[in-house]
Amino acid sequence: MNAADALIRAGRALVEAGLSPGSSGNVSVRTGDRVLMSGTGTRLGALEPADLAELALDGTHLGGARPSKEVSLHLALYAKNPTHTAVVHVHSPSAVALSCLEPWSEHSAVPPLTPYALMRVGQVPLLDFVVPGDPAMGELITGSRHPFRAALLANHGAVVSGEDAATAVDSTIELEEACRIALMTLGAPRRLIAAEQVVAITQRWNMPWTGNAHQ
């Protein structure tokens, strides 16, 4: 599957999962030193090849549609995770809602409640609010001392990278579920996964987790 087909399929999968209402969200796929990205104002569930923008890794627009204003967000995550070849940014309901709350901990807004989030996402820091499209958003990603493949953007949504487009989509779906469960359990006496098991799971699945499991 070529990069354009992978990107189009990813967009449709996100819409089918209910994670990209209206024309919100954007997806990109990196091939070598080029990035294909959904164009501004496009609907992820109805992408066509003409809706895709081609960019260099420095953000230069090389051709195709006008890229989304979130270019810096995508390029920063590729820089942070250089082995990853896809980035998803969505305004999914549970991720947005959790991003409007104070984070569970300094290194992860999402507490370790289920093994699946640990297996597919790991820690999910909350990044400070900046206006959507502001290049400072990319600086928050590259400047973070925490390793991560997913983050919540304060009062905004989620961004996720993956080794390929299908993995990035699956991780985004799992993150939304983890955020939903975190919201459902707010105010209740939570039973977190034991700290040593958090470490064992994330290490086995090669997911980032650098903080104390119960802080």
Side-chain angles (χ1 to χ4, degrees):
M1 185 187 306
N2 63 35
D5 288 342
L7 194 158
I8 290 169
R9 179 174 293 187
R12 290 174 180 168
L14 290 166
V15 170
E16 289 170 1
L19 304 187
S20 179
S23 61
S24 68
N26 33 77
V27 182
S28 68
V29 172
R30 179 175 61 82
T31 303
D33 61 356
R34 296 290 185 267
V35 174
L36 279 183
M37 185 175 189
S38 54
T40 186
T42 55
R43 292 178 176 265
L44 295 188
L47 290 174
E48 299 290 345
D51 298 321
L52 309 184
E54 183 178 2
L55 306 165
L57 287 176
D58 64 1
T60 301
H61 185 205
L62 301 176
R66 186 160 64 95
S68 164
K69 62 181 176 296
E70 308 286 18
V71 168
S72 63
L73 178 65
H74 288 246
L75 298 183
L77 208 46
Y78 287 125
K80 190 172 188 70
N81 298 319
T83 63
H84 290 187
T85 65
V87 171
V88 169
H89 167 51
V90 291
H91 306 160
S92 52
S94 295
V96 171
L98 198 63
S99 79
C100 294
L101 302 177
E102 291 300 316
W104 170 73
S105 75
E106 191 267 337
H107 66 93
S108 186
V110 182
L113 292 168
T114 72
Y116 310 106
L118 296 174
M119 291 159 57
R120 296 173 182 162
V121 183
Q123 65 190 15
V124 184
L126 177 70
L127 303 181
D128 292 340
F129 177 79
V130 296
V131 176
D134 189 325
M137 190 177 295
E139 295 167 8
L140 287 176
I141 290 175
T142 55
S144 174
R145 67 186 181 88
H146 299 296
F148 59 82
R149 59 193 293 141
L152 294 186
L153 312 173
N155 305 82
H156 184 166
V159 63
V160 181
S161 68
E163 290 81 359
D164 53 45
T167 300
V169 169
D170 288 345
S171 296
T172 303
I173 292 171
E174 189 59 49
L175 174 59
E176 176 69 3
E177 180 68 4
C179 291
R180 186 178 72 87
I181 292 170
L183 292 167
M184 290 175 63
T185 57
L186 274 175
R190 286 170 168 158
R191 185 170 59 198
L192 301 178
I193 294 175
E196 64 275 12
Q197 292 176 332
V198 170
V199 172
I201 292 169
T202 51
Q203 287 184 348
R204 177 181 176 185
W205 291 87
N206 195 31
M207 293 292 154
W209 193 276
T210 56
N212 185 306
H214 285 175
Q215 283 185 352

